[in-house]
Amino acid sequence: MDRVVTFSFTDDFIKKLALFIETNYKSQDNDLSRLALVFGGKRPALFLKRELARSFKKSFFPPVFFSMDEFVSYLVSKKGHYLKINEMDSCFLLYHLAREILPDMLKGRETFSKFLPWAREILVFIEQLDLQDLPLEALEGIQLAANIGYEVPENINILLQNIILLR
């Protein structure tokens, strides 16, 4: 499509989008599956499906809906072989890494089941670092400050002292 459609912030976005889709893409067989819509999350798709059902008043094939993360994964998978590691495997790899090179991090959490909640928190932290695309110099600064010691629990200082290695 070679045009941009904008809606005012005061408009009911879902209703306007449903009307736009119905006006421009409705066909004899009510097949909208050739459309792909990308939203910031999953909830808008539910509301749009409901609004489309109200306006069509009969069965139809809905568009394909993606969250932004799903859309990026879809695009990456089209370029070649792509396999996303699941959260539990990531936590287990982090546990083995900590056990091998940072045994101090496992104090009080020697088993995987006890380490799992902490591993999830570490993964979220690393993901935030990746999303913010912090340069290596910034992480080195964090590590140096953690070596001196932040006024936080000891296990967080240990994490921050070794964040580059864990990442």
Side-chain angles (χ1 to χ4, degrees):
M1 184 175 274
D2 60 346
R3 62 183 168 160
V4 175
V5 179
T6 60
F7 299 108
S8 169
F9 284 120
T10 59
D11 290 341
D12 183 344
F13 171 70
I14 296 296
K15 283 187 180 182
K16 291 272 191 168
L17 183 56
L19 179 63
F20 178 81
I21 290 170
E22 185 178 4
T23 304
N24 293 290
Y25 297 101
K26 188 174 181 181
S27 62
Q28 296 280 348
D29 56 1
N30 291 331
D31 186 5
L32 300 174
S33 62
R34 67 187 185 281
L35 293 177
L37 301 171
V38 181
F39 292 112
K42 293 186 177 267
R43 290 189 74 203
L46 299 172
F47 293 114
L48 184 58
K49 281 181 190 176
R50 184 182 64 192
E51 193 60 38
L52 288 171
R54 284 182 187 154
S55 61
F56 279 90
K57 295 185 174 112
K58 57 183 172 180
S59 62
F60 68 98
F61 293 102
V64 177
F65 296 100
F66 293 101
S67 68
M68 287 186 191
D69 289 341
E70 291 169 340
F71 186 64
V72 169
S73 293
Y74 172 77
L75 290 178
V76 169
S77 71
K78 288 293 193 186
K79 288 290 185 184
H81 186 67
Y82 165 74
L83 183 62
K84 184 177 179 182
I85 188 170
N86 69 37
E87 181 192 30
M88 191 62 71
D89 288 342
S90 296
C91 290
F92 195 67
L93 287 172
L94 191 59
Y95 171 72
H96 275 287
L97 183 63
R99 198 171 67 181
E100 287 178 24
I101 60 175
L102 299 170
D104 291 344
M105 185 181 276
L106 296 177
K107 285 183 184 171
R109 303 178 186 93
E110 286 77 17
T111 64
F112 177 66
S113 61
K114 289 181 180 175
F115 183 74
L116 183 59
W118 181 229
R120 286 183 170 137
E121 293 295 326
I122 294 169
L123 288 176
V124 168
F125 180 66
I126 290 172
E127 184 176 311
Q128 289 301 314
L129 292 175
D130 291 342
L131 286 173
Q132 294 177 15
D133 197 24
L134 285 178
L136 185 61
E137 296 81 30
L139 292 178
E140 288 170 346
I142 291 171
Q143 280 192 180
L144 288 173
N147 284 332
I148 296 169
Y150 286 113
E151 290 186 27
V152 295
E154 168 105 23
N155 57 355
I156 294 177
N157 265 329
I158 292 171
L159 168 65
L160 294 175
Q161 289 169 8
N162 299 287
I163 193 61
I164 294 174
L165 184 60
L166 286 173
R167 185 173 177 218

